[in-house]
Amino acid sequence: MSLKNFITSRVFLKHLILAIILVLLLIIITLQRLKSYTRHGESFPVPNFKGLTLNEIETVAKEHNLKFEIVDSMHVDGAEPGVVVEQVPVEGFKVKRNRIVFLSVNSTVPERVVLPKLTDISYRQATGLIENCGLVPGTISFEPSEYNNLVLRAEQNSAELKQGDIVEKGSSIDLVIGSSSGVQETPLPDLTGLNYVQADTLLKSRMLNKGVLICDETVLTSEDTLSALIWKQYPGTNVKFVSLGTSVDLWLTLDSLKLLKPVLKEPE
């Protein structure tokens, strides 16, 4: 039998069709088993690990068929030592079983930073360096000096700080500013309707200090404090100018109606 006759014969065509069917079946079975092995399309939301201790992490991870890995340690004010403060993926993100969740825990020792040189530069330069280091600009005071508006000293808890000192990250740094022309004045901003962060930024830009923070009955938590608005201040808005370094007391509320009521002006 010639090759042509063999290829066109019924026996060859029958075996060819059977071979194709067998190959297709093998492909289908392989894909199905691979799909089953990788749990294709099957995912579950990541639980919330924040605030959990190591023992609690292990329990929650086991319950959700997940693995975990602690990759970092950082200090977060207000959080208990050793608990989770950050996680990747975040809570609710859908992943497959046995995936790894990367966790950061709160360290037992506060993070510390090296204090940069803050003297003999302007107040604005000093506050920029303070914030870049993860510190917070504190109160401002003035002393007579031939160098006007330059930082004379940096202090913390009334103790003088020097360049290279190690301080706790997130702590406040007070600045003593030189004044060559006696008492200097700056326009007092109207803070009504601003939130706490906005008011703080504006006061710092005018070289003024935050005074007493007074919250009404609507402000119950720290989150409320950040979202509340200022409805009253002292010195009041009738005062046009105040001395540099003056402390401004702030009244906060979540009651928007208070913003519409006239505030009795303080006597000049």
Side-chain angles (χ1 to χ4, degrees):
M1 179 183 296
S2 65
L3 178 63
K4 180 179 179 182
N5 292 334
F6 174 73
I7 293 175
T8 57
S9 67
R10 295 183 60 186
V11 174
F12 174 79
L13 293 176
K14 179 180 177 181
H15 285 84
L16 178 62
I17 294 172
L18 288 174
I20 292 173
I21 293 173
L22 181 60
V23 170
L24 290 176
L25 286 174
L26 288 174
I27 292 174
I28 293 172
I29 292 172
T30 301
L31 291 176
Q32 288 296 328
R33 291 185 63 84
L34 183 62
K35 180 179 178 181
S36 175
Y37 176 77
T38 59
R39 299 182 183 272
H40 179 72
E42 185 179 11
S43 59
F44 304 89
V46 175
N48 183 18
F49 287 94
K50 290 185 179 179
L52 301 184
T53 62
L54 180 58
N55 289 336
E56 293 170 333
I57 295 169
E58 293 175 343
T59 301
V60 172
K62 187 175 181 180
E63 290 176 351
H64 291 81
N65 295 303
L66 295 171
K67 299 177 182 179
F68 69 91
E69 184 176 331
I70 297 175
V71 294
D72 195 12
S73 176
M74 62 181 68
H75 180 74
V76 177
D77 291 335
E80 295 182 8
V83 302
V84 177
V85 290
E86 287 187 4
Q87 67 179 74
V88 178
V90 298
E91 177 189 6
F93 188 87
K94 290 189 175 183
V95 298
K96 296 180 181 180
R97 296 183 187 275
N98 296 318
R99 293 305 189 264
I100 298 176
V101 180
F102 299 97
L103 306 174
S104 299
V105 299
N106 192 35
S107 64
T108 56
V109 179
E111 186 177 350
R112 297 181 179 273
V113 295
V114 178
L115 191 73
K117 179 177 173 57
L118 298 175
T119 55
D120 300 326
I121 59 176
S122 70
Y123 167 73
R124 293 184 185 278
Q125 289 175 302
T127 54
L129 289 173
I130 288 172
E131 291 172 345
N132 288 340
C133 289
L135 300 168
V136 179
T139 58
I140 310 164
S141 59
F142 291 82
E143 285 187 3
S145 172
E146 60 180 313
Y147 305 108
N148 194 44
N149 289 337
L150 289 186
V151 178
L152 303 180
R153 292 192 309 279
E155 297 180 342
Q156 191 173 70
N157 300 322
S158 300
E160 184 175 356
L161 297 173
K162 301 291 186 181
Q163 179 184 3
D165 284 349
I166 307 299
V167 295
E168 185 176 316
K169 188 173 183 179
S171 59
S172 63
I173 306 297
D174 303 328
L175 298 176
V176 180
I177 313 297
S179 175
S180 62
S181 55
V183 177
Q184 300 182 66
E185 292 189 332
T186 184
L188 177 66
D190 182 358
L191 305 173
T192 306
L194 301 182
N195 61 38
Y196 173 77
V197 175
Q198 292 170 331
D200 183 39
T201 302
L202 184 52
L203 288 173
K204 287 176 181 175
S205 70
R206 301 290 177 88
M207 298 181 73
L208 299 172
N209 292 311
K210 297 188 304 293
V212 179
L213 197 63
I214 304 167
C215 300
D216 68 5
E217 67 281 356
T218 65
V219 182
L220 302 176
T221 66
S222 56
E223 289 78 11
D224 290 343
T225 302
L226 293 176
S227 58
L229 300 179
I230 296 166
W231 67 278
K232 183 181 176 181
Q233 67 183 71
Y234 181 83
T237 54
N238 60 310
V239 177
K240 303 303 180 184
F241 292 90
V242 293
S243 301
L244 293 178
T246 296
S247 294
V248 181
D249 298 336
L250 306 174
W251 278 257
L252 294 177
T253 184
L254 289 172
D255 182 4
S256 58
L257 295 178
K258 280 191 175 182
L259 299 174
L260 304 177
K261 298 177 182 177
V263 177
L264 294 178
K265 292 185 177 181
E266 306 291 342
E268 297 187 16

